[in-house]
């Protein structure tokens, strides 16, 4: 068990939305109790203490709409491609990327996306996995990387049914 305490605690509890010197008692992956740091330390004297040093302690973020496969395309600009509408953006860039995806590219995109989530406090991700060519096994790659890094992911596979 451990306690993260000595921080400005933001909760989701209407009765106690904020504690100036708050803490969180954690057992394994479960939050056991939240409250004032001193009270938690008295209640769980054997717990390892992690000092938040006055920083904010708060629930993690959930990203409810992501496209993992696009992680490696950030900042990409295609020379000579000047789209005038959303269809031209899809046709001239995203669908070209989709048609060239591989399991390895999907895996590398997953690492990039999940590591960015972890660094920014996002612990849960819902991905809209829409690969034009439906790369066989790509969802298994997303799952393997998520398990390795400990990020809960819901991958919504959008299949082409023409």
């Amino acid at each position: 068990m451990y306690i993260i305490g000595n921080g400005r605690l933001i909760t989701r509890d209407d009765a106690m939305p904020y504690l100036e010197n708050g803490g969180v008692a954690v057992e394994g992956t479960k939050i056991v109790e939240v409250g004032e740091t001193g009270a938690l330390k008295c209640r769980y004297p054997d717990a390892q203490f992690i000092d938040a040093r006055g920083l904010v302690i708060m629930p993690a973020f959930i990203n409810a709409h992501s496209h993992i496969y696009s992680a490696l395309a950030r900042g990409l600009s295609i020379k000579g491609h000047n789209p005038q509408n959303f269809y031209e953006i899809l046709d001239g860039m995203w669908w070209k990327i989709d048609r060239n995806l591989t399991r390895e590219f999907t895996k590398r995109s997953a690492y990039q996306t999940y590591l960015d989530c972890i660094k920014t406090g996002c612990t849960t991700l819902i991905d809209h996995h829409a690969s034009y060519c439906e790369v066989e096994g790509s969802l298994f790659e997303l799952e393997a990387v998520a398990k390795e890094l400990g990020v809960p992911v819901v991958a919504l596979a959008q299949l082409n049914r023409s």
Side-chain angles (χ1 to χ4, degrees), residues 2-72:
Y2 61 94
I3 296 170
I4 303 171
N6 190 27
R8 295 179 174 110
L9 178 66
I10 298 170
T11 73
R12 291 187 177 143
D13 183 353
D14 290 339
M16 183 182 58
Y18 176 79
L19 281 172
E20 180 63 32
N21 185 12
V24 180
V26 180
E27 179 73 51
T29 59
K30 303 288 183 198
I31 295 174
V32 177
E33 187 175 353
V34 299
E36 195 272 325
T37 299
L40 292 174
K41 289 173 88 172
C42 285
R43 187 181 307 262
Y44 307 103
D46 296 330
Q48 175 188 352
F49 182 71
I50 300 169
D51 190 350
R53 299 182 321 268
L55 298 175
V56 174
I57 303 169
M58 62 182 271
F61 297 111
I62 297 172
N63 181 342
H65 186 120
S66 176
H67 296 276
I68 291 173
Y69 75 93
S70 66
L72 301 179

Side-chain angles (χ1 to χ4, degrees), residues 63-160:
N63 181 342
H65 186 120
S66 176
H67 296 276
I68 291 173
Y69 75 93
S70 66
L72 301 179
R74 272 191 234 148
L76 178 68
S77 177
I78 300 172
K79 188 174 182 175
H81 179 61
N82 301 305
Q84 301 301 306
N85 55 53
F86 187 60
Y87 175 81
E88 290 178 5
I89 293 169
L90 291 173
D91 187 50
M93 186 169 131
W94 292 113
W95 292 339
K96 285 183 180 181
I97 291 171
D98 288 350
R99 286 188 288 271
N100 290 285
L101 279 176
T102 65
R103 281 181 73 157
E104 183 61 25
F105 288 153
T106 300
K107 181 178 182 177
R108 291 176 187 209
S109 294
Y111 275 112
Q112 182 66 49
T113 299
Y114 300 157
L115 290 172
D116 285 346
C117 285
I118 291 166
K119 288 191 297 188
T120 58
C122 178
T123 61
T124 303
L125 181 71
I126 299 172
D127 184 63
H128 299 268
H129 189 65
S131 171
Y132 177 83
C133 294
E134 298 173 27
V135 178
E136 189 173 332
S138 62
L139 290 175
F140 293 116
E141 296 296 343
L142 297 181
E143 177 186 34
V145 175
K147 283 182 178 178
E148 178 185 343
L149 298 177
V151 179
V153 174
V154 176
L156 305 173
Q158 183 177 351
L159 303 176
N160 296 317

